Amino acid sequence: MKIAIASDHGGFEYKEQLIPFLLGLGYEVTDMGCYSSDSIDYSDYAFPLAQAVAEGKVEKGIVICGTGIGVSICANKVKGVRCALCTDPLMAKLTREHNDSNVLALGGRIIGIELAKEIASVWLSTPFSNDARHIRRIDKISEYEK
Ligand code: RB5
């Protein structure tokens, strides 16, 4: 599976550690920045990643900032993106099953790196349930976006 990952400076160290971890799990990972811990604006990295997902250039994306909130707000502005900010593996599992989320947001200053790896692993490997009630709810989001 092709995925992309992006962060601001608050998520930079986690991005750097998640990339080899995800490569080790067999994912093809595109690093969309940032490329140092110098202070930058999360919007400059979250929007391009979300657009790459919306355009189908990658199947899924992971965005990381200090809290995960700024990047998730940006990603959810992009039509077709359903970004889920997760702080535990159950949220990661349920958002895939219920929301078919296509972008995962993580807070590099909120959770530990091992938990972040577990959340990313669960989120990437959990399929959408395809239950009619969840499809109906997602369709209503898509309708609203039009
Ligand atoms: C950067 O200091 C911080 O505001 C950012 O990483 C993020 O937490 C914003 O939501």
Side-chain angles (χ1 to χ4, degrees), residues 70-82:
V71 286
S72 63
I73 291 171
C74 292
N76 276 316
K77 298 285 181 196
V78 176
K79 193 173 168 179
V81 166
R82 292 178 299 283

Side-chain angles (χ1 to χ4, degrees), residues 38-122:
D38 293 348
S39 181
I40 48 81
D41 299 335
Y42 54 79
S43 46
D44 294 341
Y45 297 86
F47 284 133
L49 179 136
Q51 274 163 6
V53 173
E55 290 164 12
K57 290 179 179 161
V58 291
E59 195 171 320
K60 291 193 181 81
I62 298 175
V63 283
I64 317 165
C65 66
T67 58
I69 296 172
V71 286
S72 63
I73 291 171
C74 292
N76 276 316
K77 298 285 181 196
V78 176
K79 193 173 168 179
V81 166
R82 292 178 299 283
C83 175
L85 171 57
C86 295
T87 54
D88 67 53
L90 180 59
M91 291 173 79
K93 177 177 180 286
L94 292 177
T95 187
R96 285 291 309 127
E97 290 177 349
H98 293 200
N99 315 123
D100 196 17
S101 52
N102 49 13
V103 175
L104 170 68
L106 297 168
R109 295 172 181 158
I110 303 296
I111 58 172
I113 184 62
E114 294 308 318
L115 182 54
K117 286 178 183 173
E118 192 184 346
I119 290 169
S121 172
V122 168

